[in-house]
Amino acid sequence: MFLAPLRPAIQTWQALALSPLLALAVFWLGGEAGLATMAALCPLAMLAVRRPIPPGSSASVSDQVIARLDATLAEIAVRGGATGCLVIQFDDAAHLRDRLGRSRQSEVLATSVARLRGALRPGDLLYTLEDGSLAVALSASPRLDAEIMVRIAARMQLVVQQPVMLASGPVQVICSIGFCHSAQLTQPSGRALLDAAQVAGDEAAICTPGAIRGFTAEMARARSDRDALRAGFSAAVDRGEVRAWFQPQISTDSGDVTGVEALVRWEHPDRGCLAPAAFLPAIEGSDLMELLGQTMLTQSLAMLADFDRRGLRIPAVAVNFSQQELRDPQLPDRLAWMLDSFGLSPSRLTVEVLESVVSGDGEDVVAANIGRIAAMGCGVDLDDFGTGNASITAIRRFALNRLKIDRSFIKEVDQNRDQQNLVTAILSLAERLGLETLAEGVETPAEHALLAQLGCGHVQGFVIARPMPAEELATWLVSYRERQAHALCIGVGAR
């Protein structure tokens, strides 16, 4: 159930409903002077009839959860038993809003909350936290342990994930749950229990949709580490520590460099050079992702313009955009303005979209943005193809130019017949859909050779070059093109 602050004896809506009748009566009895007196005295009268608000009733919802848990812990200290806290996060709330609209999203989530309320044990209380997640404060129980808390979490998850029927059809909500048992904390308190459950909930949301995680000390340390990275990210961008590195992409037909992919690196003063996996989880879902995207785009376009001036022209740079950025209706206009400011044509920029973005039904705003970006003349790559659940219908719905075949399909493709069959099927699909192909994560000459033989148009990976800063890319590019020209001269002379 939800807790609400105590309300005044006369509620605002009741006073407003009666005010026209009261004003009419005062005018009949006292005329305009009576109305003026009423206007002056009404605010004082409303304050006078309000019941005093008990201490703590105006506290935030989080404070109410903490107070409830503290009371339960005090009860346990006298009578024994245990308690716990669970935090429930809706994994696809933003997707529901974009697909259904705010009113239907609210209807779906309200139905889910009502179902949760009905699934609680007697004495358990459900709260809606300020960030939209839910907290459950469990009542004291002599038999509560971690295994029972897992069962409680699983039951809540099962209740939430039952389809909600709307006029437009069924809608399924997916939630992640984190929990903490009071015995897991050396000094349990209401705040410590809620904080620990939120840490576990965040860990569950990071892992996979619909995950359940119990609190551990390792989670707390990882959370502290992520918080430190998040807190220092913006300043690191200002100091120039967050940089775009570039990995070349080449044609399997000509061997020419057809583009580069921009990959972020954080040159941390204390931790060394951090790859994306080390810090992206810390900033995902926040405004820092937009800051990262803008930083990568600016540095990538600046590199292209600089290389053009130096006679080292690279046809295009591919930049990854998060789902959060792709939802921004201003993104196409911003890209056009950035390209124009660097004097580059739209064809010089390729936007990379993760397969998870176009999986399932897709999102109208994302599809519209990608369509506008493609119409400008920019390339659009579907990244990590094969790792998600994108259907052919979804692929056709988005204005894609190229499929990037994930490394998991490329590894040992020269030795594994099943891998060859999978890659052949992907290449055939791309050909029928009129899409180009690029294999990423190519690490051996044998893999490179077989992919060329199978008809994959472009390759990228360690066999060509590792990601590198722009200054190293310039040196590599000169050396690579000299080797290509020398090989061509030898080939011509041999004929």
Side-chain angles (χ1 to χ4, degrees):
M1 59 184 294
F2 288 98
L3 297 184
L6 296 176
R7 292 174 292 184
I10 297 179
Q11 298 185 37
T12 303
W13 69 269
Q14 292 171 327
L16 290 175
L18 294 173
S19 58
L21 293 176
L22 181 60
L24 184 60
V26 169
F27 181 74
W28 282 342
L29 295 174
E32 293 182 1
L35 284 178
T37 303
M38 174 186 166
L41 294 179
C42 266
L44 298 176
M46 288 297 294
L47 291 174
V49 299
R50 285 179 65 92
R51 294 176 183 168
I53 299 177
S57 66
S58 61
S60 68
V61 179
S62 296
D63 290 337
Q64 294 177 33
V65 179
I66 292 167
R68 173 67 184 185
L69 290 170
D70 280 334
T72 305
L73 289 168
E75 177 186 346
I76 289 170
V78 176
R79 301 183 181 179
T83 185
C85 181
L86 300 96
V87 169
I88 304 166
Q89 301 186 41
F90 295 109
D91 295 339
D92 51 359
H95 172 72
L96 287 175
R97 182 184 65 246
D98 291 338
R99 187 158 62 96
L100 303 175
R102 287 189 179 275
S103 61
R104 289 187 177 178
Q105 178 211 30
S106 299
E107 179 183 348
V108 170
L109 297 184
T111 300
S112 300
V113 169
R115 291 174 176 177
L116 279 171
R117 188 185 306 151
L120 293 178
R121 306 174 311 162
D124 296 343
L125 297 177
L126 178 67
Y127 302 80
T128 302
L129 299 177
E130 290 79 5
D131 63 356
S133 61
L134 306 175
V136 178
L138 298 180
S139 59
S141 173
R143 294 182 297 275
L144 184 67
D145 57 21
E147 182 179 348
I148 291 176
M149 290 201 69
V150 171
R151 292 182 200 165
I152 292 172
R155 182 173 73 247
M156 292 180 176
Q157 195 175 68
L158 181 64
V159 166
V160 169
Q161 294 180 177
Q162 293 297 315
V164 177
M165 296 304 300
L166 298 178
S168 57
V171 176
Q172 186 175 30
V173 178
I174 298 176
C175 69
S176 300
I177 302 179
F179 67 85
C180 182
H181 188 275
S182 57
Q184 292 179 277
L185 303 178
T186 55
Q187 294 182 326
S189 67
R191 181 172 297 279
L193 267 175
L194 177 58
D195 287 347
Q198 288 178 320
V199 167
D202 290 342
E203 187 70 22
I206 289 171
C207 293
T208 55
I212 297 175
R213 292 291 183 271
F215 173 78
T216 65
E218 290 74 17
M219 281 184 188
R221 286 191 289 270
R223 171 67 172 268
S224 177
D225 186 56
R226 286 197 297 269
D227 288 347
L229 290 172
R230 183 186 302 114
F233 184 81
S234 181
V237 171
D238 292 339
R239 291 191 298 266
E241 296 171 7
V242 178
R243 301 184 60 193
W245 285 26
F246 303 96
Q247 187 171 33
Q249 303 165 339
I250 69 170
S251 166
T252 55
D253 288 334
S254 64
D256 293 339
V257 174
T258 55
V260 293
E261 180 183 4
L263 301 165
V264 64
R265 295 292 186 271
W266 182 352
E267 296 173 357
H268 198 283
D270 301 321
R271 308 187 188 193
C273 186
L274 300 180
F279 63 89
L280 280 186
I283 67 173
E284 282 178 338
S286 70
D287 292 341
L288 294 174
M289 284 299 294
E290 295 183 12
L291 173 62
L292 173 61
Q294 184 65 26
T295 301
M296 293 294 291
L297 178 63
T298 301
Q299 293 186 14
S300 298
L301 298 183
M303 180 275 296
L304 284 186
D306 178 56
F307 277 34
D308 284 354
R309 288 190 293 268
R310 297 162 62 181
L312 300 173
R313 189 179 188 277
I314 293 175
V317 62
V319 180
N320 291 274
F321 287 83
S322 67
Q323 189 168 12
Q324 182 178 339
E325 293 174 282
L326 291 169
R327 290 195 189 107
D328 180 6
Q330 303 301 319
L331 177 62
D333 295 332
R334 180 157 54 87
L335 294 183
W337 184 88
M338 291 288 292
L339 287 162
D340 185 63
S341 67
F342 282 100
L344 299 170
S345 66
S347 62
R348 306 291 297 281
L349 174 65
T350 296
V351 172
E352 291 205 356
V353 183
L354 287 172
E355 184 181 8
S356 58
V357 174
V358 303
S359 298
D361 296 331
E363 298 184 43
D364 290 338
V365 63
V366 174
N369 274 348
I370 293 176
R372 289 178 59 194
I373 291 168
M376 286 165 47
C378 296
V380 181
D381 282 1
L382 182 60
D383 198 12
D384 295 341
F385 180 74
T387 60
N389 301 305
S391 65
I392 295 177
T393 302
I395 292 173
R396 290 180 62 86
R397 181 166 171 256
F398 288 79
L400 304 174
N401 302 113
R402 184 166 64 178
L403 300 183
K404 291 189 69 176
I405 307 172
D406 186 71
R407 163 67 185 163
S408 59
F409 296 99
I410 303 304
K411 185 178 180 180
E412 298 179 350
V413 69
D414 56 309
Q415 305 172 36
N416 189 315
R417 175 62 66 179
D418 291 337
Q419 292 284 77
Q420 293 176 23
N421 291 337
L422 285 170
V423 170
T424 300
I426 293 172
L427 294 174
S428 176
L429 171 66
E431 183 180 7
R432 291 178 180 275
L433 294 176
L435 302 175
E436 295 186 39
T437 51
L438 183 150
E440 54 185 345
V442 183
E443 296 186 354
T444 68
E447 291 172 354
H448 183 187
L450 184 62
L451 288 166
Q453 182 181 346
L454 293 176
C456 184
H458 308 264
V459 292
Q460 170 185 344
F462 290 174
V463 70
I464 309 301
R466 292 176 179 270
M468 65 193 92
E471 54 270 22
E472 293 182 21
L473 176 63
T475 303
W476 179 90
L477 193 61
V478 170
S479 176
Y480 179 80
R481 287 175 173 169
E482 286 178 352
R483 293 197 304 272
Q484 288 294 103
H486 183 64
L488 180 61
C489 289
I490 293 175
V492 172
R495 288 196 294 271

